[in-house]
Amino acid sequence: MAKEMNFFLGYAALAAGVTAVCLWLVWAVMKPGLAYYISDMALAVDIFFGLLLCGTGLLFLLLLMLGFTSWEQPVRIRQILLQYIGFLYPVMRKLAWTDTRKEMLARSYIQFLNGLVLKQNLRIPAEQVLILAPHCLQWDQCPHKITRCVDNCRQCGHCTIGSLLAVSRSLGAHLAVASGGTQARQLVGTLRPRAIVAIACERDLISGMEDVLPLPVLGLLNERPYGPCFDTQVDVPVLCRLLERLTGEDYERTRNSISQFTHHM
Ligand code: SF4
């Protein structure tokens, strides 16, 4: 976890540095022209860029404090910082360059966002938590339509959906299966949960977690033994642990009892 945090913040520092250099370059290029044509404005532009550079430096310092200390950030500051990370992230991806590094970066970003939620020591009743799963977890040959109503699942054991249903019923949490980002957003709007545990691949998790801010979301990556978007799987005991961290409850009995629904493909 600490390694991933360092990896993420290392790239964030690089991206913040590149952004600051770009800002400085824009200012340096504009300065002579401004001094010549509108000399009255030159000081105001200097102050504007100076404040902008100081602002980005301050935001990065706050980001470090958010990552490395137990400082309880006011909600508004956390929101601003999360927007700042959302702004830096595309730059970080460009700097990561290779696909392997981009994947590591995505995973560390999800861990970072999860860490921020876990740090809040939330105690949200399970009934107000939504487990949001992707449609690709469902067995490809399953005849049951579960995206409209997950209760249509017969818990036959062919895929992880049966286990997720068992967990959600045992805890009283909501379970919804979304066929895409639009349906996921609609489900969040309709069910209005106080917290979400979202299961998805790196790309969908990051865009989804950014979309529902400031709602607390814990991201859990799916496993893709047959390639992307096809008969994917998820580690259900890990899901239970994340739910424990959100609700402050102990779900050991549920964790031990879900094996009967575990898929056997
Ligand atoms: S557990 Fe069985 S019934 Fe439920 S979604 Fe998977 S394949 Fe379909």
Side-chain angles (χ1 to χ4, degrees):
M1 180 83 177
K3 204 172 143 197
E4 283 172 328
M5 179 81 87
N6 291 344
F7 182 82
F8 179 77
L9 287 174
Y11 268 96
L14 266 179
V18 168
T19 312
V21 169
C22 289
L23 274 175
W24 179 81
L25 278 174
V26 171
W27 172 71
V29 168
M30 284 173 65
K31 196 174 161 64
L34 281 172
Y36 183 77
Y37 289 109
I38 39 172
S39 54
D40 296 350
M41 293 286 289
L43 181 64
V45 174
D46 283 356
I47 292 172
F48 173 75
F49 275 97
L51 287 175
L52 214 53
L53 280 169
C54 291
T56 53
L58 181 68
L59 279 174
F60 190 73
L61 271 180
L62 288 173
L63 187 61
L64 289 181
M65 285 174 70
L66 195 66
F68 289 118
T69 69
S70 53
W71 173 48
E72 291 251 342
Q73 337 78 34
V75 177
R76 188 66 197 128
I77 291 190
R78 193 166 58 236
Q79 282 176 335
I80 292 172
L81 286 176
L82 290 173
Q83 282 164 0
Y84 176 56
I85 303 169
F87 163 77
L88 286 183
Y89 185 64
V91 185
M92 291 158 74
R93 271 183 64 81
K94 288 258 181 269
L95 294 169
W97 198 258
T98 65
D99 286 346
T100 313
R101 283 189 162 266
K102 280 180 184 168
E103 191 181 322
M104 282 170 69
L105 186 64
R107 286 170 180 254
S108 65
Y109 186 18
I110 292 162
Q111 290 297 336
F112 181 80
L113 293 174
N114 280 358
L116 297 187
V117 174
L118 295 175
K119 227 188 241 188
Q120 295 172 56
N121 290 321
L122 297 168
R123 294 285 180 270
I124 296 174
E127 297 74 30
Q128 295 179 321
V129 175
L130 170 66
I131 304 167
L132 192 53
H135 189 209
C136 58
L137 282 181
Q138 186 180 24
W139 178 41
D140 180 53
Q141 305 290 317
C142 177
H144 305 293
K145 184 87 181 153
I146 57 164
T147 47
R148 284 222 189 96
C149 176
V150 76
D151 288 317
N152 289 335
C153 166
R154 298 290 179 267
Q155 294 182 301
C156 70
H158 256 105
C159 72
T160 335
I161 296 291
S163 305
L164 297 185
L165 194 55
V167 169
S168 75
R169 282 177 178 164
S170 158
L171 273 51
H174 291 280
L175 170 66
V177 179
S179 54
T182 308
Q183 197 195 358
R185 278 180 277 277
Q186 280 170 353
L187 283 165
V188 173
T190 310
L191 295 169
R192 299 202 168 277
R194 279 184 59 203
I196 301 173
V197 179
I199 304 162
C201 62
E202 288 85 349
R203 194 197 55 188
D204 289 355
L205 265 185
I206 288 173
S207 67
M209 288 168 97
E210 285 176 345
D211 278 357
V212 297
L213 286 174
L215 200 66
V217 188
L218 289 177
L220 178 58
L221 285 169
N222 58 2
E223 295 155 16
R224 288 149 277 174
Y226 308 105
C229 310
F230 183 79
D231 284 346
T232 63
Q233 298 168 10
V234 68
D235 191 330
V236 182
V238 172
L239 170 77
C240 287
R241 288 205 180 85
L242 291 180
L243 288 163
E244 283 177 346
R245 297 290 300 272
L246 271 185
T247 59
E249 303 286 341
D250 183 352
Y251 296 137
E252 193 183 345
R253 280 181 59 192
T254 305
R255 265 190 274 134
N256 293 337
S257 64
I258 51 170
S259 55
Q260 59 180 306
F261 297 107
T262 303
H263 62 94
H264 42 73
M265 291 175 67

